[in-house]
């Protein structure tokens, strides 16, 4: 009966959506990239990859994901890990709220499993090199309720790990769908956004009803052997993959696109107009000064408080300068006039809509550090900021710094080693 129903579905005259799903599944089968998280069905590993991939490129994420899974192989390990460890493992990925929410969600899962008495459900037979201990929830609503998981991430986890027909819609998928269906409204506006979610849902539901999809390429053979039907997973991943590799924002590869015959934007020559996103607000330039204070081979660093950007990460004392002279910025932080200030390096980076220039100045003190510590209150610009600690470059390497301050730490270490 089941087979007959699917035979009937597959024998119906093909609509645009059926053709699209078939083309995407075939293309993904032949072109899926060999990514480490595509070799597993472990929802924990897939969840970690999805959180890391938010705002971060695939090639950057791969070594972070491998290291994370090696160091914290189970949900329980994340739930119990010290805050310093999870921050250090995330160091360089940015957007640190993601890692704190990841840990909060792991703690919720462990607590919920314990409350239900699910600890006995520990899976001993893992398809992956790491052991699954506490069960990741399988219901979409339960996944969505976890800290740091929105509709896109819940849809991605449920479809990829459990092959559920849960839609996904991110920047890549929006680009593909607005072009293929010729949607001219702004996809950030409510009505157009709802329409896109509906379309994404129709496609993944149609994929679910397909008799089968071909297994993806070489790397995912294991996946194809252990699970007969991964169409929902592969359909969603094909949309993401097409947006990442072929239907790119600028200069999409239409001549090799598997869905070009179905693509409205291609036929109407309107690719450059879609998606119709409003112009981003222009970036605001901000200038900060950081002081790398050194004495007897140790550097003064402090930990950022909770509830601010880059919370709990370590940094060199710094403040926004707004055109103020370096010696006055130093005095506003430390309460004393500085000795000689030497330029160390300048780091440029962006956080959300801010283009930040961080100018680092080296300040070297002679004499006894205990005396210097008393003078340098390093009180920061907020009352909650720590007064700072003196560390060697080796000790600093064990702490998590933001990317910009890590570059400063590296420049400072070189400076100390060269005896400048
Ligand atoms: Fe994108 Fe071009 Fe393919 Fe249309 S034909 S989906 S615009 S790559």
């Amino acid at each position: 009966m089941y087979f007959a129903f699917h035979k009937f579905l597959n024998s119906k005259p093909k609509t645009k959506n059926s053709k699209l799903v078939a083309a995407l599944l075939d293309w993904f089968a032949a072109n899926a990239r060999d990514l480490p998280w595509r070799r597993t069905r472990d929802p924990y590993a897939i969840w970690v990859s999805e959180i890391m991939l938010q705002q971060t490129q695939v090639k950057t994420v791969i070594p972070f994901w491998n290291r994370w899974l090696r160091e914290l192989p189970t949900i329980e390990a994340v739930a119990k890990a010290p805050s310093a460890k999870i921050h250090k493992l995330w160091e360089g990925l940015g957007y640190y709220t993601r890692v704190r929410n990841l840990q909060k969600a792991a703690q919720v899962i462990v607590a919920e499993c314990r409350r239900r008495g699910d600890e006995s459900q520990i899976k001993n037979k893992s398809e992956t090199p790491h052991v699954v201990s506490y069960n990741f929830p399988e219901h979409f609503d339960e996944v969505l309720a976890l800290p740091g998981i929105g509709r896109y991430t819940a849809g991605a986890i449920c479809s990829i790990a459990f092959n559920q027909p849960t839609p996904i819609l991110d920047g890549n998928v929006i680009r593909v769908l607005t072009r293929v269906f010729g949607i001219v409204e702004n996809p950030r506006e409510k009505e157009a956004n709802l329409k896109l979610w509906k379309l994404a849902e129709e496609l993944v539901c149609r994929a679910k009803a397909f008799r089968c999809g071909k297994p993806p390429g070489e790397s995912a053979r294991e996946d194809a052997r252990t699970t007969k039907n991964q169409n929902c997973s592969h359909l969603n991943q094909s949309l993401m993959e097409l947006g990442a590799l072929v239907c790119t924002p600028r200069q999409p590869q239409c001549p090799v696109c598997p869905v070009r015959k179905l693509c409205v934007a291609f036929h109407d020559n309107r690719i450059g107009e879609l998606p119709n996103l409003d112009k981003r607000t222009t970036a605001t330039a901000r200038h900060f000064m950081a002081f790398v204070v050194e004495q007897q081979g140790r550097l003064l660093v402090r930990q950022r408080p909770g509830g601010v950007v880059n919370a709990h990460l370590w940094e060199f004392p710094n403040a926004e300068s707004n055109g103020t002279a370096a010696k006055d910025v130093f005095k506003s932080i430390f309460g004393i006039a500085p000795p000689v200030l030497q330029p160390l390096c300048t780091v440029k980076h962006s956080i959300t809509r801010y283009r930040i220039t961080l100018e680092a100045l080296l300040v070297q003190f002679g004499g006894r550090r205990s005396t210097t510590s008393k003078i340098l209150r390093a009180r920061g610009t907020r009352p909650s900021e720590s007064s700072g600690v003196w560390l060697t470059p080796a000790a600093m390497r064990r702490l998590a710094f933001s990317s910009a301050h890590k570059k400063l730490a590296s420049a400072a270490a070189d400076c100390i080693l060269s005896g400048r």
Side-chain angles (χ1 to χ4, degrees):
M1 181 66 188
Y2 182 79
F3 176 72
F5 174 67
H6 283 271
K7 201 170 171 187
F8 164 72
L9 263 180
N10 283 298
S11 66
K12 282 206 309 181
K14 292 208 163 163
T15 61
K16 171 165 175 161
N17 285 1
S18 308
K19 288 180 191 166
L20 188 58
V21 167
L24 286 167
L25 288 175
D26 281 351
W27 177 80
F28 187 71
N31 295 282
R33 278 176 293 178
D34 182 7
L35 304 176
W37 46 88
R38 286 193 175 149
R39 296 176 178 188
T40 178
R41 298 266 67 77
D42 176 358
Y44 163 60
I46 290 163
W47 168 39
V48 174
S49 74
E50 284 299 329
I51 301 295
M52 285 185 172
L53 286 164
Q54 292 167 3
Q55 328 261 5
T56 314
Q57 291 186 336
V58 164
K59 69 174 189 307
T60 308
V61 165
I62 291 172
F64 281 92
W65 184 88
N66 283 327
R67 192 166 56 128
W68 181 281
L69 270 290
R70 212 169 40 242
E71 296 277 326
L72 300 171
T74 63
I75 294 172
E76 189 186 16
V78 179
K80 290 198 309 203
S83 164
K85 178 161 185 165
I86 60 162
H87 281 92
K88 187 66 188 167
L89 287 169
W90 210 267
E91 185 188 45
L93 275 176
Y95 301 98
Y96 291 85
T97 308
R98 293 182 295 173
V99 72
R100 287 189 284 278
N101 278 333
L102 192 70
Q103 183 169 53
K104 277 187 211 156
Q107 289 163 348
V108 168
I109 294 168
V110 168
E112 188 59 17
C113 283
R114 285 184 178 153
R115 192 185 65 76
R116 290 181 186 169
D118 277 359
E119 285 163 282
S120 58
Q121 292 182 23
I122 289 171
K123 292 178 185 171
N124 293 319
K125 190 167 62 80
S126 174
E127 292 159 7
T128 63
H130 36 271
V131 177
V132 179
S133 54
Y134 288 87
N135 291 334
F136 194 88
E138 290 190 25
H139 294 291
F140 178 83
D141 290 342
E142 284 180 65
V143 178
L144 186 62
L146 292 170
I149 295 190
R151 187 175 174 186
Y152 165 83
T153 307
I157 297 168
C158 288
S159 61
I160 298 170
F162 308 122
N163 196 42
Q164 292 171 11
T166 47
I168 55 158
L169 192 68
D170 68 349
N172 281 335
V173 180
I174 285 175
R175 192 163 55 254
V176 171
L177 295 183
T178 51
R179 287 174 175 174
V180 170
F181 289 93
I183 295 169
V184 294
E185 295 86 6
N186 182 340
R188 292 206 185 97
E189 277 167 16
K190 197 176 168 192
E191 234 170 81
N193 198 263
L194 282 173
K195 189 171 167 181
L196 286 161
W197 274 108
K198 189 94 190 85
L199 265 176
E201 187 171 9
E202 274 172 33
L203 295 177
V204 76
C205 286
R206 199 161 287 264
K208 177 88 179 164
F210 255 58
R211 196 162 51 213
C212 65
K214 288 180 190 169
E218 283 295 315
S219 59
R221 288 265 160 80
E222 187 62 29
D223 167 288
R225 271 201 298 274
T226 52
T227 50
K228 278 191 186 133
N229 187 328
Q230 286 294 323
N231 282 357
C232 297
S233 163
H234 293 171
L235 186 278
N236 277 351
Q237 291 189 76
S238 72
L239 286 167
M240 301 180 204
E241 196 85 330
L242 193 74
L245 301 181
V246 179
C247 193
T248 48
R250 282 171 290 280
Q251 298 180 329
Q253 309 295 306
C254 301
V256 296
C257 177
V259 300
R260 70 185 176 285
K261 286 186 184 157
L262 303 163
C263 179
V264 172
F266 178 68
H267 282 283
D268 295 355
N269 202 17
R270 303 183 66 183
I271 297 156
E273 297 165 35
L274 301 174
N276 171 21
L277 297 166
D278 36 41
K279 299 280 171 281
R280 296 261 177 202
T281 46
T282 47
T284 308
R286 295 177 72 179
H287 190 273
F288 286 77
M289 281 183 184
F291 298 95
V292 177
V293 182
E294 186 264 340
Q295 189 173 40
Q296 294 172 344
R298 288 177 186 250
L299 300 157
L300 184 62
V301 291
R302 67 188 185 188
Q303 189 171 26
R304 290 176 68 79
V308 301
V309 175
N310 291 335
H312 308 300
L313 297 191
W314 289 81
E315 65 179 11
F316 293 93
N318 67 89
E320 191 156 7
S321 59
N322 290 329
T324 313
K327 62 179 177 28
D328 295 327
V329 179
F330 184 94
K331 195 170 179 187
S332 75
I333 297 176
F334 297 104
I336 59 164
V340 179
L341 295 172
Q342 306 168 59
L344 180 67
C345 64
T346 299
V347 177
K348 290 182 189 258
H349 64 112
S350 297
I351 299 179
T352 59
R353 64 187 181 85
Y354 299 111
R355 293 262 157 77
I356 294 172
T357 302
L358 180 63
E359 187 184 347
L361 297 142
L362 181 67
V363 189
Q364 290 177 298
F365 281 88
R368 290 159 58 87
R369 200 166 49 248
S370 55
T371 316
T372 313
S373 295
K374 260 186 224 159
I375 302 167
L376 293 183
R377 282 169 286 145
R379 59 193 174 184
T381 49
R382 300 174 199 88
S384 53
E385 273 169 353
S386 75
S387 56
V389 290
W390 293 91
L391 296 176
T392 61
M396 278 169 34
R397 276 194 284 277
R398 290 194 284 274
L399 302 176
F401 283 75
S402 68
S403 296
H405 282 260
K406 198 172 180 184
K407 286 180 188 156
L408 265 53
S410 167
D414 290 348
C415 195
I416 290 172
L417 283 174
S418 66
R420 177 173 148 188

